[in-house]
Amino acid sequence: MRHNFKLPSTKAMQRIIYTATLLVIFIISHSYSFQPSSSLPSKSTTATKLNMKTIDSHLHIWANAKESNDYPYAPEQTPPPTIIDVASTDALLQQMSEAGVDGALIVQPINHKYDHRYVKNAIKSHPDKFKGMMLFDPSLNEDLAVDRLEELVLDGFVGVRFNPYLFDGKMSENPSAVRVFERCAALKVPIGIMCFKGIELHYDDIIALCKSSPETSVILDHFGFAAVDNQEQFEMVLALAKFNVAVKISALFRLSDAFPYDKVKTERFEPLLDTFGASRLMFGTDFPYVTQEEVGYKGAVETVASWLSGKDEAQRRAIMGGTAERYFGTWGGK
């Protein structure tokens, strides 16, 4: 008996091979990152002497004025004069070295919008130091959006940022966003969400996304932007713990508290630790903006590390680097 069957088309075969390649890359990059990092301490450590691998899970870089000739800013997105020259790759590396930070997740800045070349070049030049989080473009159709995701994954981007203020409507009602959100589950690529104007504006939208693809990891920037003077916002952040959601312990200066951020520690960090656990919290600075604050970059590292001085070793290692490696893969090799 003869069996008639059709081989997949050339385009279909290319897609199968491409997907297999992506999965192999992510299996390798995540194979040592399912537990908080137990890596040996770096040669340079912060003044807290905690001696652990430290990963900054949230910062930005952009071209300085001179570099902008090759990497132009997006229309109407030129950085303010006070910080235009403090956010270059070299400037960040210097700050990281002084603070004893081993690696960083670079979140694509709005200043370059959907042109990822500057961040891509930083990752290529310093693969042991940097990984990237791309910025999702809501204007792309579904196929182009997925293609962009997969292309940037191959270039060292391990996360996707959803900026709700770039959408015409809700994130969960944008077909391309939903398609990318679902694709990220297969690729083990987390989605970062910025609730800059208040989580209450996006709470239902985030829940809808989480329900559409429960396997996709969601990470809230900067404590979910729940200021210390707005408990209603914070209750919404805590309520999201029932979903596949993590929170960045970053941008301490954005929560309506003054340095040394005692209220952020007791009224935001401690409850988050109790509710989410250390395995879903990750330290970040929000460089370069933190350099304009009293705390500074190194001070931000030391402040969060000091909050952990009385915690057990597993919690300290998780929040200062292990959780970031569990979600985004290992920095600096095995």
Side-chain angles (χ1 to χ4, degrees), residues 4-26:
N4 295 321
F5 63 93
K6 291 180 65 178
L7 290 172
S9 66
T10 300
K11 186 174 183 180
M13 284 298 296
Q14 290 175 336
R15 172 64 67 182
I16 292 170
I17 294 171
Y18 192 62
T19 299
T21 301
L22 289 169
L23 288 174
V24 168
I25 290 173
F26 267 81

Side-chain angles (χ1 to χ4, degrees), residues 51-109:
N51 295 329
M52 66 186 67
K53 192 171 186 179
T54 302
I55 305 297
D56 188 339
S57 73
H58 193 106
L59 51 75
H60 310 277
I61 60 172
W62 54 70
N64 60 32
K66 182 178 180 180
E67 292 172 325
S68 68
N69 293 322
D70 297 318
Y71 302 96
Y73 308 121
E76 301 181 3
Q77 295 296 341
T78 300
T82 54
I83 55 175
I84 192 169
D85 288 326
V86 302
S88 67
T89 304
D90 288 343
L92 170 60
L93 286 169
Q94 181 177 347
Q95 293 273 359
M96 289 172 61
S97 177
E98 292 174 357
V101 173
D102 300 288
L105 180 74
I106 304 172
V107 179
Q108 173 70 9

Side-chain angles (χ1 to χ4, degrees), residues 72-204:
Y73 308 121
E76 301 181 3
Q77 295 296 341
T78 300
T82 54
I83 55 175
I84 192 169
D85 288 326
V86 302
S88 67
T89 304
D90 288 343
L92 170 60
L93 286 169
Q94 181 177 347
Q95 293 273 359
M96 289 172 61
S97 177
E98 292 174 357
V101 173
D102 300 288
L105 180 74
I106 304 172
V107 179
Q108 173 70 9
I110 194 65
N111 312 89
H112 292 298
K113 211 166 185 181
Y114 307 123
D115 179 358
H116 291 77
R117 291 180 301 129
Y118 190 75
V119 174
K120 187 190 302 185
N121 183 64
I123 296 169
K124 183 178 180 180
S125 300
H126 306 279
D128 289 342
K129 288 288 186 183
F130 299 138
K131 299 177 186 290
M133 175 174 275
M134 63 170 282
L135 180 61
F136 173 74
D137 182 352
S139 70
L140 296 178
N141 66 39
E142 293 181 45
D143 289 338
L144 284 177
V146 172
D147 286 346
R148 177 69 57 82
L149 164 68
E150 294 178 345
E151 289 167 5
L152 288 173
V153 163
L154 293 175
D155 286 323
F157 288 79
V158 295
V160 179
R161 182 179 229 196
F162 277 14
N163 180 340
Y165 313 109
L166 297 176
F167 287 72
D168 289 333
K170 291 185 176 181
M171 298 177 288
S172 60
E173 295 177 357
N174 180 299
S176 297
V178 173
R179 176 94 174 271
V180 165
F181 192 86
E182 293 172 349
R183 181 71 176 128
C184 282
L187 296 177
K188 299 186 183 301
V189 172
I191 298 283
I193 298 180
M194 178 183 70
C195 301
F196 184 76
K197 296 181 181 179
I199 194 169
E200 67 274 14
L201 301 176
H202 316 292
Y203 181 69
D204 292 337

